[in-house]
Amino acid sequence: MKLSDKIIFGGDYNPEQWRETPEIWDEDMRLMRLARWNEATVGVFSFAELEPEEGVFDFSVTDAIFEKAEKNGVKIILSTPSGAMPRWMAEKYPEILRTLEDRRKAVYGRRENHCYTSPVYREKVAEIDRKLSERYGRHPALLAWHISNEFNGECHCPLCREAFCAFLEKKYGTIDRLNAEWWTRFWSHRANSFSEIEPPSSIGETCVHGLTLDWKRFVTAQTADFARVEIEAVRAFSDRPVTTNLMGFYTGLDYRELSRPFDFVSWDNYPDWGKPEGDEGTAAWIALTHDLMRSMKRENFLLMESTPSHTNWKDINKLYRPGMMRLASLQALAHGSESVQYFQWRKSRGSSEKMHGAVVDHYGREDTRVFSEVAALGEELERLSPLVGSTLRPRVAMIYDWDNVWALQDLQGMQKKNKQVASTLLRQYLPFWRAGISCDIIGRRESFEGYSLLVAPMTYLCEEETAKRLAGFVREGGTLVATYTLAQTNENDLCHLGGFPGAGLCEVFGLRAEELDTLYPEERVEISALGGSYRAKDYCEVLKPHADTEILGEYRGEFYAGTPCLTAHAYGKGKAYYIAFRDADGAFSEAFYRRLMRELSLESPLPEIPDGVSVQVRENEKGEKFFFLLNFSRKEKRLSLGEGFTLLRTGEPLAEAVLPPYGAEVLRK
Ligand code: GAL
């Protein structure tokens, strides 16, 4: 993925809000030059500006901005306007308004408010998209297409229901097959035909888990199908690449599926920096999210949105402290972003986002703290351009799947509201992040090739085919680590028979997980493992190991005291580890994975990485390496580097890096 020779620096720009005062557009251009912006994302939510009445089109603002942007060296990422429908359209074609899950019909308002099945909306959107493509699709200033905005939500209207029934018919072929996979003899929920199926609802069905899971899959498929209509329309006259902005771990859509029709991935990042307890936790979570986004296509991505100073939609909207915006921006680059982009260029004057952070404040001039920090970063990014095209090459992959999260969310059992798949993933990820060892976050159905270590946290949903591939990975010499709840059900959430982990994985791990104990939130169970004492919380599985399974840890409490909680099993040329409990505080995970890193010769990029500092390495095809040193702590940190390092922004050699609080540097080697 290479869109530009420069690091893309820009963000959301809404000149249509200043239609009556075009002198502001000229001031924008002057300020963009000062800030070294080389990109502007234009047109997000501009449907009513482009088509103020049905069939009446007005491209005057976009025309003017393309012209001005080109003159000022600013490239444009042009958004399609489908993220918010015009009022007239809702009025005339009420079918495009969403129906909520409790079957109430929405009235006009807000954004991402459309039915993604509605043929009328698809037609209207395709029409405006084609017109944009025809007019700007080959414009020299056009860099890429931005389809809609943060696709999200569900619609439960009759059109969606019909499409859902067709989706099920295509998937299962016969209604008997659906009944079998959904286990509908339970509570007499048998269906006689596909057309009888009603999507889940709080006033209807929530208990047939095959149904709730397929519904979520359908919502993703239908959203992707809507996106395909848009992609096809913008491609009518244009060969520029296409993306849509994602929201990290948002659980409403399977992003891996949604991102398939797009050329590259981009995402919007709004972390809670500045928490009283410090920023390390936030930094690790965001690092993981960047890795998830990069792994989606195993390619670099764009940081499509971030705030230069603060948000306005959270409960607490704290200002980013000086340096934090730069640090967070470099963190995105460290994990494979090719851009630093903001929401937003200029604060809007009215409505719900008027107090959201922006590069240009209501004050309107450049002598503000935020503008100065942005302009300084713009200047620095120009010096960091040798980074472009370099990327990360992880040997470690962790598995994360949206349908697995959905299945566990709906699962009645365990702690009902505390399945926490993503934070369990984070628990496994943290030791690697602290050691500066990069990870990919992949889907269980994706290729495992090229990885020496695969971690499968709470991989509850695991079909035969995945189980076979996991077995194959270990047999061929890979190391696999899995945790409690592994392979309990197939892809339709039907339990595997014959013992967990199912589908043949008992053989790979050399054990059977016989029972899963759920604890009250405040309870802890002592364990001893790897020569140390640790604590489990929430979940403890009771294991029955095979005779040739190595016991590396045991429970010290409860009726299962003395039984194994950590095992290793040689299988083929590789090894499979099983962690049967939830680590209470991270101490166990740190010790376990550090040991594994040594065993597998997974080395930290620097001999010593102080607490609170993250080190990530990008590498280009020439074998040049770029080391990112990121200090998320509120204390100065020193790192000794050894030979051959230069500071990328100045070219000067460096043997020791001194990072002030929230300081960061990029080095070349
Ligand atoms: C994003 C959205 C932007 C803006 C921003 C505010 O989710 O795409 O349009 O609303 O949040 O933080």
Side-chain angles (χ1 to χ4, degrees), residues 437-456:
I437 294 169
S438 62
C439 302
D440 276 345
I441 312 299
I442 64 169
R444 66 182 188 279
R445 293 175 193 251
E446 291 186 281
S447 164
F448 305 145
E449 220 182 291
Y451 301 115
S452 40
L453 171 62
L454 199 56
V455 182

Side-chain angles (χ1 to χ4, degrees), residues 47 79-83 112 114 121-122 124-130 132-133 145-149 151 223-236 242-244 262:
F47 218 150
S79 176
T80 65
S82 63
E112 278 305 325
H114 62 270
Y121 198 54
R122 287 177 174 217
K124 292 283 171 204
V125 167
E127 183 184 20
I128 188 74
D129 288 0
R130 264 195 308 273
L132 291 171
S133 172
W145 291 98
H146 175 297
I147 300 295
S148 205
N149 193 71
F151 282 116
T223 305
D225 193 55
F226 180 88
R228 278 193 188 91
V229 170
E230 291 216 64
I231 294 170
E232 197 180 307
V234 298
R235 285 202 177 128
V242 178
T243 191
T244 189
F262 292 96

Side-chain angles (χ1 to χ4, degrees), residues 47-66:
F47 218 150
E49 296 297 312
L50 296 167
E51 192 177 357
E53 289 170 47
E54 187 164 28
V56 177
F57 296 94
D58 177 357
F59 297 101
S60 55
V61 173
T62 320
D63 283 354
I65 296 306
F66 260 91

Side-chain angles (χ1 to χ4, degrees), residues 145-391:
W145 291 98
H146 175 297
I147 300 295
S148 205
N149 193 71
E150 294 184 341
F151 282 116
N152 67 76
E154 300 183 351
C155 177
H156 293 252
C157 74
L159 292 167
C160 287
R161 178 183 175 186
E162 207 181 298
F164 180 48
C165 295
F167 169 90
L168 295 172
E169 187 158 8
K170 190 164 171 229
K171 175 170 174 182
Y172 293 105
T174 67
I175 198 70
D176 287 346
R177 175 95 207 290
L178 174 142
N179 281 310
E181 286 294 309
W182 287 7
W183 206 252
T184 57
R185 287 211 170 89
F186 180 79
W187 290 355
S188 256
H189 282 204
R190 224 177 83 85
N192 289 332
S193 72
F194 285 101
S195 61
E196 286 175 16
I197 307 288
E198 178 72 60
S201 168
S202 56
I203 57 163
E205 187 64 273
T206 56
C207 297
V208 176
H209 291 159
L211 164 73
T212 51
L213 197 51
D214 275 337
W215 168 255
K216 292 271 191 204
R217 291 192 178 117
F218 164 77
V219 170
T220 295
Q222 199 68 351
T223 305
D225 193 55
F226 180 88
R228 278 193 188 91
V229 170
E230 291 216 64
I231 294 170
E232 197 180 307
V234 298
R235 285 202 177 128
F237 302 93
S238 183
D239 57 359
R240 306 296 147 86
V242 178
T243 191
T244 189
N245 48 343
L246 307 178
M247 298 180 279
F249 277 92
Y250 170 68
T251 54
L253 294 165
D254 180 339
Y255 274 166
R256 211 166 276 120
E257 287 302 318
L258 180 65
S259 62
R260 279 190 216 288
F262 292 96
D263 296 313
F264 65 93
V265 165
S266 61
W267 84 283
D268 301 344
N269 180 25
Y270 294 99
D272 294 313
W273 297 123
K275 282 192 187 155
E277 69 268 26
D279 290 292
E280 200 205 14
T282 306
W285 172 248
I286 299 304
L288 172 65
T289 317
H290 284 311
D291 286 346
L292 175 72
M293 295 291 109
R294 188 196 61 249
S295 307
M296 213 89 72
K297 288 194 182 284
R298 301 207 194 168
E299 242 180 33
N300 287 354
F301 59 92
L302 295 195
L303 174 68
M304 190 59 86
E305 292 180 25
S306 60
T307 173
S309 54
H310 62 95
T311 53
N312 77 328
W313 47 268
K314 300 194 179 197
D315 289 342
I316 311 287
N317 297 286
K318 189 173 179 175
L319 288 183
Y320 288 3
R321 276 23 196 174
M324 184 40 98
M325 183 277 292
R326 171 178 178 269
L327 174 62
S329 303
L330 294 182
Q331 184 190 29
L333 299 178
H335 289 269
S337 179
E338 293 283 288
S339 75
V340 173
Q341 290 159 280
Y342 305 107
F343 176 86
Q344 51 187 334
W345 169 253
R346 183 183 279 278
K347 284 186 182 171
S348 52
R349 191 157 180 206
S351 211
S352 75
E353 289 184 333
K354 58 185 176 295
M355 294 302 178
H356 191 287
V359 178
V360 182
D361 187 69
H362 295 125
Y363 165 60
R365 301 173 57 100
E366 64 265 40
D367 54 337
T368 63
R369 174 183 75 94
V370 172
F371 190 92
S372 312
E373 285 194 31
V374 168
L377 181 64
E379 202 253 344
E380 182 176 357
L381 292 182
E382 287 181 358
R383 299 169 193 232
L384 301 186
S385 60
L387 279 175
V388 173
S390 61
T391 192

Side-chain angles (χ1 to χ4, degrees), residues 426-444:
L426 179 63
R427 182 60 95 215
Q428 323 304 308
Y429 175 84
L430 261 164
F432 295 90
W433 179 73
R434 292 204 184 99
I437 294 169
S438 62
C439 302
D440 276 345
I441 312 299
I442 64 169
R444 66 182 188 279

